[in-house]
């Protein structure tokens, strides 16, 4: 089972709420949160970590945020048989975790963009997919969230050339590993996908923060 928790930041926390939520994080993550400039970015960062704690609790796993480690690409992970990933955009944050294999997730708020700014980000097959959509932005963001979810599951993120991974299909191969892509219905205007090396059911929970 893949466990996913998501939340929407609907308002600015008051000073006590901010302090209480911040104190749920270890000192290094508190400092990382405080380095964010915008209040929304601070709260989304904190929310992502609180959602991770909620996912671990739901899995019955005793790991804490102090157990986090980081790979050479700064991807956080636990050295204990649990893989997770966090994403946030707009006013929403989501965290997914699995006890089997690797997982990546991406959520994006749809905004008006210039597609000409992304000539080298997609394969020809992917551009055909985007061009085939009546609403190009929807096609773009569907593929973008699929692609970023896969790259995060791989563990390299944008260190891997985006055009080297074609994500039109729901099952893809990369470096002799199979990744399964699934959409998550979070909210209108927020395309979201997960990629995992083990195909499994998803338990999706909304958490109020």
């Amino acid at each position: 089972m893949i466990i996913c928790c998501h939340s929407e930041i609907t308002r600015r926390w008051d000073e006590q709420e901010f302090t209480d939520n911040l104190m749920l994080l270890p000192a290094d993550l508190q400092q990382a949160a405080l380095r964010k400039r915008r209040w929304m970015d601070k709260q989304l960062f904190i929310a992502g970590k609180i959602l991770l704690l909620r996912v671990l609790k739901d899995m019955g796993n005793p790991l804490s945020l102090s157990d986090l480690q980081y790979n050479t690409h700064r991807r956080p992970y636990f050295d204990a048989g649990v893989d997770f990933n966090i994403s946030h955009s707009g006013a929403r944050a989501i965290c997914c975790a699995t006890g089997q294999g690797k997982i990546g997730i991406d959520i994006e708020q749809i905004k008006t963009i210039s597609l000409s700014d992304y000539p080298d980000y997609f394969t020809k097959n992917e551009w055909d997919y985007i061009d085939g959509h009546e609403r190009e932005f929807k096609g773009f963001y569907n593929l973008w969230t699929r692609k970023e979810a896969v790259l995060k599951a791989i563990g390299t993120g944008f260190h891997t050339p985006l055009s080297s991974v074609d994500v039109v299909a729901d099952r893809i191969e990369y470096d002799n590993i199979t990744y399964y892509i699934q959409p998550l219905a979070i909210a209108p205007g927020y395309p979201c996908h997960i990629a995992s090396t083990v195909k499994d059911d998803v338990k999706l929970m909304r958490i109020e923060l």
Side-chain angles (χ1 to χ4, degrees), residues 1-19:
M1 178 73 71
I2 296 172
I3 309 296
C4 297
C5 289
H6 66 98
S7 185
E8 181 182 15
I9 303 297
T10 59
R11 60 181 178 82
R12 187 169 186 170
W13 298 331
D14 63 36
E15 185 175 348
Q16 188 59 55
E17 287 176 306
F18 182 85
T19 300

Side-chain angles (χ1 to χ4, degrees), residues 109-122:
Q109 182 183 32
I110 292 181
K111 298 178 181 179
T112 300
I113 57 171
S114 174
L115 294 179
S116 61
D117 292 338
Y118 301 87
D120 302 322
Y121 286 58
F122 298 100

Side-chain angles (χ1 to χ4, degrees), residues 17-203:
E17 287 176 306
F18 182 85
T19 300
D20 290 345
N21 288 329
L22 183 67
M23 293 303 293
L24 296 173
L25 279 56
D28 59 330
L29 295 180
Q30 290 182 27
Q31 291 303 312
L34 294 173
R35 284 195 294 269
K36 305 291 184 183
R37 299 184 65 179
R38 298 172 58 244
W39 68 266
M40 178 62 80
D41 293 335
K42 288 183 173 71
Q43 290 187 198
L44 286 171
F45 181 90
I46 295 170
K49 301 306 182 291
I50 293 175
L51 293 177
L52 174 55
L53 290 173
R54 181 64 178 81
V55 167
L56 291 172
K57 180 180 179 181
D58 194 80
M59 297 175 74
N61 194 298
L63 288 167
S64 73
L65 297 179
S66 298
D67 296 313
L68 284 173
Q69 300 184 48
Y70 298 86
N71 70 11
T72 55
H73 299 293
R74 295 301 298 166
R75 183 192 192 274
Y77 70 96
F78 291 116
D79 190 20
V82 174
D83 196 47
F84 74 94
N85 205 225
I86 297 172
S87 181
H88 47 73
S89 181
R92 295 182 179 273
I94 184 167
C95 175
C96 294
T98 179
Q100 301 183 74
K102 298 294 184 181
I103 192 166
I105 183 165
D106 188 47
I107 186 171
E108 297 290 342
Q109 182 183 32
I110 292 181
K111 298 178 181 179
T112 300
I113 57 171
S114 174
L115 294 179
S116 61
D117 292 338
Y118 301 87
D120 302 322
Y121 286 58
F122 298 100
T123 66
K124 182 184 182 303
N125 186 43
E126 290 172 331
W127 276 117
D128 289 343
Y129 172 94
I130 294 172
D131 294 338
H133 272 68
E134 182 178 344
R135 297 172 58 193
E136 287 184 327
F137 291 153
K138 181 177 181 181
F140 172 89
Y141 278 106
N142 277 343
L143 279 187
W144 184 272
T145 53
R146 294 167 73 91
K147 189 179 290 281
E148 188 164 349
V150 169
L151 294 176
K152 292 170 77 176
I154 292 170
T156 56
F158 290 146
H159 293 279
T160 296
L162 275 70
S163 60
S164 68
V165 183
D166 189 304
V167 295
V168 171
D170 292 335
R171 179 182 182 274
I172 70 166
E173 301 284 334
Y174 183 83
D175 200 19
N176 297 317
I177 299 175
T178 301
Y179 295 88
Y180 301 91
I181 305 173
Q182 300 183 63
L184 294 182
I186 302 301
Y190 281 87
C192 182
H193 285 86
I194 58 173
S196 59
T197 55
V198 176
K199 190 174 184 179
D200 209 344
D201 294 331
V202 177
K203 179 180 179 180

